[in-house]
Amino acid sequence: IEKQEDDFYIHHGKTHRGECKTCSKRRISLWARERYPRIKDDLKRKYEANKEAKITYVREWARNNPDLRRRYNVSWRWKVRMEVIDGYGGKCVCCGESRPEFLQIDHIYDDGYKIRKGNARMVGAALYRRLRDEGFPRDRYQLLCANCNFAKGHFGGCPHND
């Protein structure tokens, strides 16, 4: 197969390793697939051996950098929230509102209090993470805007469905 010059990586004016980009990517991919389990095990062993020191370091960093920690946490929560909103269709199932600031997760069977009572931490980002990890289950949860969710909870249904 005849290949063009731009099919090769160029390093200091010469073809790098004498292999095309496709072959280079294939070689690197195979190498990574073989090495990844070993690297992962090494990292896990290293973490376990230094677990207390790592936890102490992270806590100390968080204590010394409250603004950075808060910014990171806020951006991480927003990212997970957006994944959940996209996973549930990105709009209110009742009225079609799509601004993420107005959208909320609704427990279809109004059993959210039972979940919170059993596991007080299953709200906010923890709930979003669980929904994402479970593949956005639609049998118990749906996406509603704040108005529709309030109406459903306080009046038994949304005016849009009357």
Side-chain angles (χ1 to χ4, degrees):
I1 299 172
E2 191 167 319
K3 299 193 177 194
Q4 302 297 318
E5 187 176 322
D6 59 345
D7 289 334
F8 295 86
Y9 291 113
I10 306 299
H11 184 68
H12 295 297
K14 294 189 253 176
T15 312
H16 186 61
R17 289 186 183 257
E19 63 186 359
C20 69
K21 292 177 182 178
T22 304
C23 294
S24 178
K25 288 177 185 175
R26 188 177 302 125
R27 178 181 52 79
I28 291 169
S29 177
L30 288 171
W31 178 85
R33 234 180 282 139
E34 290 171 4
R35 296 262 308 148
Y36 181 72
R38 194 168 68 217
I39 292 169
K40 188 176 176 184
D41 289 343
D42 289 347
L43 288 173
K44 190 173 184 177
R45 252 191 316 278
K46 184 179 177 185
Y47 174 77
E48 289 299 327
N50 301 299
K51 189 175 185 176
E52 292 304 319
K54 178 71 173 173
I55 291 170
T56 303
Y57 170 79
V58 169
R59 285 183 179 153
E60 187 67 26
W61 181 90
R63 215 176 358 263
N64 293 333
N65 300 285
D67 292 338
L68 284 173
R69 179 176 181 234
R70 184 177 187 290
R71 272 190 292 177
Y72 171 78
N73 286 341
V74 166
S75 68
W76 179 85
R77 280 192 305 268
W78 186 257
K79 180 182 171 231
V80 174
R81 184 177 179 344
M82 291 306 298
E83 287 177 32
V84 170
I85 288 172
D86 290 342
Y88 280 98
K91 63 182 181 180
C92 175
V93 296
C94 184
C95 71
E97 175 63 60
S98 63
R99 285 177 280 194
E101 295 86 355
F102 298 146
L103 297 175
Q104 303 174 345
I105 293 296
D106 172 56
H107 297 79
I108 293 175
Y109 302 111
D110 297 325
D111 59 353
Y113 69 93
K114 291 178 186 172
I115 294 168
R116 285 187 298 277
K117 187 175 182 184
N119 186 355
R121 297 185 52 81
M122 196 48 64
V123 296
L127 176 63
Y128 296 147
R129 189 174 44 239
R130 191 179 109 217
L131 294 176
R132 180 190 63 191
D133 294 346
E134 291 178 0
F136 312 111
R138 294 178 185 275
D139 58 331
R140 292 184 47 221
Y141 301 96
Q142 64 183 349
L143 199 60
L144 291 178
C145 71
N147 285 337
C148 294
N149 199 15
F150 180 86
K152 180 183 175 220
H154 286 66
F155 306 120
C158 184
H160 297 110
N161 293 330
D162 290 341

